Amino acid sequence: MIKLIELPYSYSSLEEAIDAKTVEIHYEKHHKGYKDNLLKLISGTKYEDWDVEKIMMNSNTIDDSIKTAVKNNAGGVLNHNLYWEVLSPKPKNKPEGELLKLIDRDFGSFENLKSKLIDNAKSRFGSGWTFLVVNSEDKLEVCGTANQDSPIYDGKKPILGIDVWEHSYYLRYQNRRLEYLENLIEKILNWDAVEKIYSKI
Ligand code: MN3
């Protein structure tokens, strides 16, 4: 069963950082498009009953004729589910507890982590993503991927994802990617959600 996250907020409620039209098109056209494509690709195949996590964890076993397309679209579904999950009109602006301790350990400070996220996202050439992940050594790491690639394919567990495709910001920000990133991180990124995702991995 391939599922899109149900948005726990309205399209207009992220206006402080992202306009309503962008959220609507991004969710209903782009994100849903990945789901529809994935369903088309796997329908009638032995992967039909797999959920998106299973598809991604076992992507190397998928038939070569559809492997790349399945990976691209499964990544599109999962990356966007994570993106919507960590945004909120009423965000908790700073992590605390266990997650904050790890951030201090692995980045020096929360401010350093935010700079790293912005630097990674700002320097992505073309379309892609910036993630905060837990790597195979159980350390936090900032990493980026191109297109709809997922850190899962490199054995990393993403706990925060920022969409850096132009479709996520172009209507309001045009070429001003940095302004989109700063507004997203300062105004609608919800560390409560990131803590919850971290606690479940
Ligand atoms: Mn997108």
Side-chain angles (χ1 to χ4, degrees), residues 1 42 45-51 54:
M1 190 65 189
I42 62 173
T45 73
K46 58 189 167 192
Y47 320 112
E48 194 167 41
D49 299 327
W50 291 15
D51 62 24
K54 184 168 176 187

Side-chain angles (χ1 to χ4, degrees), residues 26-27 30-31 34 76 79-80 83-84 128-129 148 163-168 180:
H26 199 172
Y27 179 72
H30 293 275
H31 192 183
Y34 294 117
N79 289 342
H80 286 90
Y83 176 72
W84 301 124
W129 288 78
Q148 293 298 348
D163 195 335
V164 197
W165 286 55
E166 279 187 346
H167 66 227
S168 60
Y180 155 70

Side-chain angles (χ1 to χ4, degrees), residues 134-149:
V134 179
N135 68 21
S136 55
E137 293 165 351
D138 279 333
K139 288 197 168 147
L140 295 176
E141 180 187 320
V142 170
C143 68
T145 64
N147 305 314
Q148 293 298 348
D149 288 349

Side-chain angles (χ1 to χ4, degrees), residues 79-104:
N79 289 342
H80 286 90
N81 279 345
L82 179 61
Y83 176 72
W84 301 124
E85 190 174 355
V86 298
L87 301 181
S88 168
K90 290 189 180 136
K92 175 169 149 181
N93 300 105
K94 199 176 184 295
E96 58 186 354
E98 178 68 11
L99 185 61
L100 182 60
K101 266 189 221 157
L102 295 178
I103 288 169
D104 286 341

